[in-house]
Amino acid sequence: MTAKWIALGLSLAIPVVAETVWLDTLDLSTLRQGWGRPQINRSIRERPLQIAGRTFERGVGTHAQSRFRLHLDGQVDRFRAWVGVDDHAQGPGSVEFQILGDDRWLFRSGVMRPGDAAREVNVDLRGVRVLLLRVTDGGDGISYDHANWAEARFEVRGSPPRPEPVPEEKPYLLTPPPGPAPRICGPTVYGARPARPFLYRIPVQGERPLHFRVYGLPRGLHVDPRTGIVSGTTPAGAGTYDLTFEVRNRHGVAWRSFRLILGDRLALTPPMGWNPWYAHYDRITDSIVREAAEILVRSGLADVGYQYVNLDDCWMNAEQHGDPLRVGPLRGPAGRILPNAHFPDMRALTDFIHARGLKAGIYASPGPRTCAGFAGSFGFEARDARQFAEWGFDFLKYDWCSYSEVARTNPGSELEKLQQPYRQMGRLLREQPRDIVFNLCQYGMGEVWKWGAEVGGHAWRTGGDLGFELDQLFEVALRNIALREHQRPGAWNDPDYIQIGWIGDARSAGPPRPCPLTPTEQYAFLSLWALMAAPLFYSGDLTRLDVFTLNVLANPEVIDINQDPLGLCARLVRQDEATFVLAKPLQNGDVAVGLCNAGECAATVAVQWTEIPELRLVQRPGAGEPGARQLVRLRTRAPVVRDVWRHQDLGRFPGGFSARVPRRGVMLLRVSPPG
């Protein structure tokens, strides 16, 4: 036997010894987390890694929500670690550590809290190519969610783990451009109170000029035939008015039924519009808001239903701020709240917005200060409610912020303390001589979805600021969907604003830059919010609104699903490790279906029609009394499946439908029962 063959035999007989590669030695620049930056061999608070009194020399301190994607190439045998909440978090944090390999669950710690003993991780990674280390917020927001991957290391027999950024995608367009003929968009039902100022811009796509007519308008309302802006004062009594919109241009004519309901309910479909927070933070000015109103009209966003132009924090004065034009007395004569120098005339601002057929929104806090340290409404609630109405605002976002200081000294139960400021402002807004939609921003505390409508709210945040957990879009949607029974027309669960295009960094309130989501994730964002019937408020920089972002925001068929009059949030049909299916019944008997892939790899997602009972029965108008219905059982022909983003009928599919859905994507379908 030659020396060559002897050497080969010896090499085959000697096992390859696994090398230890520590997590803290890898490049952590692609680790995304909800607050702060990942820390090497120390906690987020830059203290020694410590879990339930046990100190660890090595590891990575991170903060929910966090994601770290690694490419293993099948070269890694095992991952070992100890995990838990860091002892220095100094608050009631809760996290869950999760490990997925090729989109299969390999480890879940369960929800862990401060003081819980460290849990050992020992995961077999043989054959795994893509690994995801994830820390979620335990379902209650990210406050104090300081998470430690302690003594974390890989046993490697080949190439070491390679941190992998989000796969690069070039923008692509799914929504077909609007045609030249008129197409009426937006809601088909609208709530208003009697004897109040009324303003509604009929959303229409199509070549200008357009000519508008409205049949059935009650006395006191009129339509501008050139702009389609319906304005005036609603009749004094409650009632329902069935209107017909007619829009013509040289390419054709379009009609749409529209029900105006005068009573005590507003926001019968999810509100839509723009909010500046995630783009402009404390840099907001009168000129930015005016420009936003013009862009909503010029870009075509108003033509598909975006109607509110809202302010957020920092329009008032502060006692201290880096911008001297935002510093000044908080209140004037008789306690009148004072805008800062960047907002010289609030009534002129709302008049500017209203002249374009759009509505204006404002922001306040029930505490003595807003979240950014500006003048709050505490002690001046009635005065501020009157002032907002006098200025002409149509929407109020009421942000908890410093009210915790007040609540601590108030008598009553914790629930009563949470409800009190919103109950008070809800009553005050109802007393004003104009309709003001009331948005409760208190991050889901006290299960607000159970009582938000009772205190006068029309929408309420169900969690923390989404800007800190954009990587968790699918998880946020699933949490919101679990609350679907508490949602109805005029009462909406709000998972926060749409953050695509150019947005600022919520961690630093920095200037706008391209958002970190891939194009596929940005389409998924709108798909999920449409299926949830969530409020649609874009919070990006409108001056950087490019063709792609507009393509995502302005699909009228996606918006029709969001604005469906039934107001139903989709339900979860089924779920596995990385994929799930959502179904949302629509008023006309169709069902919107989302084939969702929350995983790191493309996956086939399937649905069977037997999983969606609404597709086996369809309502049709019946004989007899007006509004009667007869149920027609479906026995023939297969349902028609339509690709909502592409506006394409895909055909009839008996039994069910499946499709290959890209990483972090949603295929949004509209399924019509055979009739």
Short mmCIF file of all heavy atoms in Angstrom, two decimals, residues 204 279 317 393 480 482 496 548 666:
data_model
loop_
_atom_site.label_atom_id
_atom_site.label_comp_id
_atom_site.label_asym_id
_atom_site.label_seq_id
_atom_site.Cartn_x
_atom_site.Cartn_y
_atom_site.Cartn_z
N VAL A 204 -61.93 59.08 -5.92
CA VAL A 204 -62.13 58.60 -7.29
C VAL A 204 -60.80 58.59 -8.02
O VAL A 204 -60.07 59.59 -8.03
CB VAL A 204 -63.13 59.48 -8.07
CG1 VAL A 204 -63.31 58.94 -9.49
CG2 VAL A 204 -64.46 59.54 -7.36
N ALA A 279 -41.82 59.78 10.79
CA ALA A 279 -40.95 60.45 9.81
C ALA A 279 -40.31 61.70 10.39
O ALA A 279 -39.12 61.96 10.18
CB ALA A 279 -41.72 60.80 8.54
N ASN A 317 -45.95 74.10 23.01
CA ASN A 317 -44.71 74.58 23.61
C ASN A 317 -44.20 73.58 24.63
O ASN A 317 -44.96 72.82 25.23
CB ASN A 317 -44.92 75.94 24.30
CG ASN A 317 -44.78 77.10 23.33
OD1 ASN A 317 -43.97 77.05 22.39
ND2 ASN A 317 -45.56 78.15 23.55
N PHE A 393 -60.54 70.85 14.31
CA PHE A 393 -59.97 69.50 14.18
C PHE A 393 -61.07 68.44 14.19
O PHE A 393 -62.12 68.61 14.82
CB PHE A 393 -58.94 69.25 15.27
CG PHE A 393 -57.63 69.94 15.00
CD1 PHE A 393 -57.31 71.14 15.63
CD2 PHE A 393 -56.73 69.41 14.09
CE1 PHE A 393 -56.12 71.79 15.36
CE2 PHE A 393 -55.53 70.06 13.81
CZ PHE A 393 -55.23 71.25 14.45
N ASN A 480 -53.06 40.84 17.32
CA ASN A 480 -54.24 41.68 17.10
C ASN A 480 -55.43 40.82 16.70
O ASN A 480 -56.57 41.06 17.12
CB ASN A 480 -53.93 42.70 16.00
CG ASN A 480 -54.58 44.04 16.25
OD1 ASN A 480 -54.37 44.65 17.30
ND2 ASN A 480 -55.39 44.49 15.32
N ALA A 482 -56.09 37.87 17.60
CA ALA A 482 -56.63 37.19 18.78
C ALA A 482 -57.66 38.04 19.52
O ALA A 482 -58.43 37.52 20.33
CB ALA A 482 -55.49 36.81 19.72
N ASP A 496 -51.08 50.17 15.25
CA ASP A 496 -50.15 51.28 14.98
C ASP A 496 -50.01 51.52 13.48
O ASP A 496 -50.62 50.85 12.65
CB ASP A 496 -48.79 51.06 15.64
CG ASP A 496 -48.07 52.39 15.94
OD1 ASP A 496 -48.65 53.46 15.69
OD2 ASP A 496 -46.92 52.36 16.43
N PHE A 548 -42.76 52.87 -5.98
CA PHE A 548 -43.00 51.60 -5.28
C PHE A 548 -43.89 51.80 -4.06
O PHE A 548 -44.87 51.07 -3.86
CB PHE A 548 -41.67 50.96 -4.85
CG PHE A 548 -41.87 49.82 -3.89
CD1 PHE A 548 -42.31 48.59 -4.35
CD2 PHE A 548 -41.65 49.99 -2.53
CE1 PHE A 548 -42.53 47.54 -3.47
CE2 PHE A 548 -41.86 48.95 -1.64
CZ PHE A 548 -42.30 47.72 -2.12
N VAL A 666 -47.11 37.71 2.04
CA VAL A 666 -48.54 37.38 2.12
C VAL A 666 -49.11 37.40 0.72
O VAL A 666 -48.93 38.38 -0.01
CB VAL A 666 -49.31 38.39 3.00
CG1 VAL A 666 -50.81 38.09 2.96
CG2 VAL A 666 -48.82 38.37 4.44
#
